[in-house]
Amino acid sequence: MNKVEQSTTGENKKSLNFIEAIVEKDLKEGRNGGRVQTRFPPEPNGYLHIGHAKAICIDFELAEKYNGVCNLRFDDTNPVKEDVEFVESIKDNIHWLGFEWGEIYHASDYFPQLWDFAVKLIKEGKAYIDEQSAEEIAKQKGTHTTPGVHSPYRDRPIEESLKLFEKMNSGDLPEGAMVLRAKIDMAASNMHFRDPIIYRIIHTPHHQTGTKWKAYPMYDFAHGQCDYFEGVTHSICTLEFEVHRPLYDWFIDQLADSDYRPRQYEFNRLNLTYTMMSKRRLLQLVEGGLVSGWDDPRMPTLAGLKRRGYTPTAIRSFIDRIGYTKYDGMIDLALLEHSIRQDLNAKAARVSAVLDPIKLIITNYPEDKTEMMSSINNPEDESMGSRDVAFTKELYIERDDFMEDAPKKYFRMTPGRETRLRSAYIVKCTGCKKDDDGNVVEVYAEYDPETRSGLPGSARRVKGTIHWVSVPHSVDAEVRLYDRLFTVEDPANEKDKELAEMINPDSLKILNNCKLESYLGDAKPGDNFQFTRLGYFNVDIESTDDKLVFNRTVPLRDSWSKKN
Ligand code: ATP
Ligand code: MG
């Protein structure tokens, strides 16, 4: 958590996270000429997830805070898995979170420079073409306690490697025929220095460069060099890249012709309980039909969270709360849910919706009368005003707000007891009607005209208050209730379980017969509301004028932690 400190001037000042502290130290020491430049470098091989939001926030917020620039760079070095669909969704997501990049770059923009650099390394005797298979190369890697074995091609003539490197890019060779390796140290304690592969052959056309290239640089050979070409000062990534950092620096030392160096810093990746954070695994969910798509509201993708009703404000305040550290850990999904409740509590209008309706008839209320009851839109925000809600003889209430034989402490509808209908009257339940199978089909009550909300007589108090919707004024809707997608806390760690086995069968429940107050008839996709007593809901993108569809973003309270 970010701490709030009292500064000497008495104003509240948030303490710096460790990356901000590094940047401030660099600025103080005049490093990089006082320049701060970051980049967000997604591989366009899937939709961004909430983990990426953590990287986006630090990259863009650092640039904003220190008058620098953050560029967007598509790390597109593997055409097999990449696609323009992903490029577009990534751009949308960043804008949605409220950030603006300086320039858009692609690793593929630098393919010519990377090629020239590889040629330079070959000429200096620092790279060679290896004709062994990937398996053979892997076998020779050695272990943490034993050195690797030299490839039989390691000392081949420079001229030969130069010719073969050209050939790798000609299209005449099948994939896997040969690779280019950096010639560093097969006994290095850091395994990444044991003659890493830096180029491989791929025949799949590239979404940016088409069929121009057949030899593609590996991530480690592209990333740091791209940072260098662009002038990045602080290259921020997740902790798993810490062990790659010496190689990152090694390549740049071979390339640099001045004192300028981009520097890599690593922070803890976001892991959330009951969620999975890998584009590869999320793709499996999509392709396996286990979810309806990348924007399924149960997905941890930004597209899914947006569709579910999450706001950029909630996501950014969540990221701010969890902070940046040097230690990996697991964050409770409940914390993300807390953030969206907090934001929507401040912003969402309170409305009435009955998800599992049963009719309530106020037997002593005039047949053709309609009263307009004033209802405050949001007690947290006076400026949101109030609206009139129609009250009539026939209302819908929730089926479970009636109980024929109720225990003593049940303060909702049960024969002989009084309950308040929210923003309206106190009513006394008088009974119910059942069908031949014994199911309750209608509930009856009498109202007390002296108890209208807001009038002097309304001072009389009863224990329970329930919500309702006027039958003639109601609109129909489908409401989709979501729950956590997986039944296990850390699905990525369940190595022997199939994804399908871990899916929570109750993660989606569709209610088809919901009755909403007429105010919601005009709601548009994306609008957020609090359904009184039920939770926060938003209008789904599949909603039309003919058929309203709502998503439950989150219930009002965290029921899971209590249940389990
Ligand atoms: P995935 O495994 O989900 O595909 P990735 O690391 O391969 O993730 P990239 O597109 O390469 O995804 O990542 C872009 C940036 O986002 C990188 O800097 C990466 O470190 C960061 N990032 C990815 N996942 C997380 C996460 N869970 N938490 C924080 N940052 C992340
Ligand atoms: Mg990646």
Side-chain angles (χ1 to χ4, degrees):
M1 295 255 176
N2 286 328
K3 287 187 210 76
V4 172
E5 288 177 348
Q6 206 75 318
S7 78
T8 43
T9 54
E11 37 183 85
N12 283 334
K13 190 165 164 268
K14 223 162 144 207
S15 66
L16 302 178
N17 66 44
F18 81 95
I19 304 171
E20 291 168 328
I22 289 168
V23 171
E24 294 207 353
K25 183 164 177 285
D26 288 348
L27 288 175
K28 219 181 201 160
E29 291 170 359
R31 229 184 196 180
N32 308 310
R35 228 166 35 82
V36 173
Q37 184 173 325
T38 59
R39 84 290 169 264
F40 174 61
E43 183 179 1
N45 62 347
Y47 280 61
L48 297 182
H49 48 64
I50 177 97
H52 291 111
K54 181 171 177 180
I56 291 172
C57 286
I58 189 79
D59 290 331
F60 284 90
E61 285 173 357
L62 271 188
E64 251 165 40
K65 184 166 178 182
Y66 299 105
N67 297 315
V69 64
C70 177
N71 296 314
L72 173 58
R73 182 197 316 135
F74 290 104
D75 218 322
D76 54 353
T77 51
N78 185 357
V80 179
K81 295 186 282 170
E82 296 158 7
D83 197 274
V84 277
E85 175 196 349
F86 302 136
V87 169
E88 290 313 313
S89 74
I90 289 169
K91 290 198 245 173
D92 282 353
N93 289 161
I94 297 171
H95 278 150
W96 180 67
L97 285 175
F99 296 111
E100 191 59 70
W101 51 82
E103 303 287 337
I104 294 186
Y105 297 117
H106 303 84
S108 56
D109 298 340
Y110 309 105
F111 283 172
Q113 285 107 301
L114 290 168
W115 177 270
D116 291 345
F117 177 44
V119 167
K120 173 178 137 87
L121 289 182
I122 299 174
K123 285 184 177 161
E124 290 172 356
K126 292 173 184 161
Y128 61 97
I129 296 285
D130 194 332
E131 291 174 58
Q132 301 180 98
S133 67
E135 294 74 45
E136 280 169 308
I137 293 174
K139 259 189 257 155
Q140 295 162 357
K141 261 260 130 120
T143 66
H144 283 288
T145 48
T146 55
V149 174
H150 282 190
S151 160
Y153 298 98
R154 197 172 199 260
D155 292 315
R156 77 189 319 160
I158 288 173
E159 281 311 313
E160 214 174 280
S161 280
L162 283 173
K163 258 193 220 127
L164 289 172
F165 191 39
E166 287 290 342
K167 204 166 172 197
M168 271 181 72
N169 200 33
S170 67
D172 296 342
L173 293 174
E175 293 186 5
M178 52 186 68
V179 293
L180 182 67
R181 296 176 72 178
K183 189 174 182 176
I184 311 179
D185 179 3
M186 287 303 289
S189 57
N190 184 325
M191 303 290 281
H192 295 281
F193 276 87
R194 297 189 182 178
D195 291 10
I197 296 173
I198 58 179
Y199 263 88
R200 72 243 208 243
I201 302 171
I202 298 175
H203 287 295
T204 309
H206 189 282
H207 63 98
Q208 287 290 318
T209 58
T211 54
K212 185 160 176 232
W213 299 89
K214 298 290 185 295
Y216 286 89
M218 301 293 289
Y219 171 89
D220 275 334
F221 190 70
H223 201 91
Q225 287 88 306
C226 293
D227 285 344
Y228 178 80
F229 296 138
E230 286 169 9
V232 168
T233 56
H234 299 81
S235 180
I236 300 154
C237 60
T238 34
L239 281 171
E240 68 269 24
F241 292 104
E242 194 168 12
V243 285
H244 297 242
R245 189 183 346 125
L247 184 59
Y248 174 106
D249 291 335
W250 189 86
F251 283 130
I252 291 172
D253 283 339
Q254 308 306 308
L255 181 63
D257 53 9
S258 72
D259 286 346
Y260 154 70
R261 293 284 187 285
R263 309 241 170 228
Q264 178 182 300
Y265 301 96
E266 309 86 11
F267 66 86
N268 61 328
R269 59 184 289 122
L270 169 62
N271 298 307
L272 264 186
T273 53
Y274 302 98
T275 314
M276 228 173 227
M277 288 290 184
S278 137
K279 279 181 270 162
R280 187 176 58 80
R281 303 307 295 279
L282 297 177
L283 177 68
Q284 289 171 357
L285 289 174
V286 173
E287 289 186 335
L290 295 169
V291 294
S292 66
W294 284 100
D295 69 345
D296 185 305
R298 294 167 296 174
M299 289 281 269
T301 53
L302 293 175
L305 289 165
K306 176 183 179 187
R307 182 167 171 192
R308 170 98 168 239
Y310 272 79
T311 59
T313 307
I315 290 173
R316 287 178 65 169
S317 86
F318 165 72
I319 300 290
D320 190 50
R321 263 196 194 105
I322 59 176
Y324 295 84
T325 74
K326 277 289 204 181
Y327 310 97
D328 274 321
M330 184 71 101
I331 300 287
D332 192 333
L333 184 59
L335 195 61
L336 178 63
E337 297 184 338
H338 171 74
S339 293
I340 186 63
R341 278 192 201 100
Q342 200 174 40
D343 189 34
L344 293 181
N345 179 47
K347 291 179 190 157
R350 276 59 170 164
V351 296
S352 284
V354 175
L355 302 190
D356 183 11
I358 186 167
K359 235 184 225 180
L360 168 68
I361 297 172
I362 316 286
T363 49
N364 62 339
Y365 194 83
E367 195 77 48
D368 45 10
K369 185 169 173 178
T370 301
E371 278 180 275
M372 298 313 286
M373 303 296 187
S374 176
S375 189
I376 292 171
N377 284 331
N378 186 350
E380 303 290 324
D381 182 357
E382 240 178 73
S383 74
M384 288 176 69
S386 60
R387 69 185 187 288
D388 285 338
V389 179
F391 182 85
T392 52
K393 183 183 181 80
E394 295 201 353
L395 308 171
Y396 289 116
I397 60 169
E398 296 288 350
R399 184 167 292 276
D400 69 5
D401 279 339
F402 172 75
M403 212 173 183
E404 204 177 5
D405 291 310
K408 254 210 161 88
K409 290 244 158 99
Y410 186 85
F411 299 116
R412 293 171 277 164
M413 301 292 275
T414 188
R417 251 172 251 175
E418 284 193 320
T419 308
R420 177 168 287 282
L421 297 177
R422 193 176 173 272
S423 310
Y425 295 102
I426 292 175
V427 294
K428 183 185 221 166
C429 184
T430 53
C432 67
K433 182 169 114 186
K434 293 186 201 166
D435 65 13
D436 294 344
D437 300 326
N439 301 310
V440 177
V441 290
E442 272 175 6
V443 177
Y444 304 112
E446 287 175 355
Y447 83 120
D448 176 351
E450 302 303 314
T451 58
R452 184 173 160 162
S453 288
L455 294 184
S458 72
R460 189 149 76 83
R461 296 260 173 267
V462 288
K463 277 218 161 125
T465 299
I466 65 170
H467 66 280
W468 49 271
V469 166
S470 158
V471 170
H473 297 87
S474 67
V475 292
D476 294 335
E478 174 180 313
V479 174
R480 300 172 182 172
L481 303 182
Y482 303 104
D483 207 335
R484 48 189 57 169
L485 184 54
F486 294 103
T487 51
V488 292
E489 193 168 274
D490 187 6
N493 232 352
E494 302 282 341
K495 302 287 180 229
D496 338 310
K497 285 204 180 108
E498 296 290 327
L499 281 175
E501 289 175 67
M502 298 187 284
I503 297 276
N504 175 6
D506 299 322
S507 60
L508 169 62
K509 214 158 132 195
I510 298 179
L511 304 176
N512 268 313
N513 181 33
C514 307
K515 307 291 182 183
L516 316 181
E517 66 165 278
S518 57
Y519 179 71
L520 290 171
D522 300 327
K524 295 281 169 283
D527 290 352
N528 301 93
F529 299 94
Q530 185 194 97
F531 287 2
T532 301
R533 297 174 65 219
L534 299 175
Y536 293 99
F537 293 73
N538 80 330
V539 185
D540 189 70
I541 49 173
E542 286 177 358
S543 194
T544 62
D545 289 344
D546 298 332
K547 188 184 177 207
L548 282 172
V549 180
F550 281 79
N551 299 309
R552 183 174 67 191
T553 309
V554 67
L556 278 188
R557 272 172 291 276
D558 176 13
S559 52
W560 260 89
S561 309
K562 271 183 236 122
K563 240 193 300 184
N564 298 290

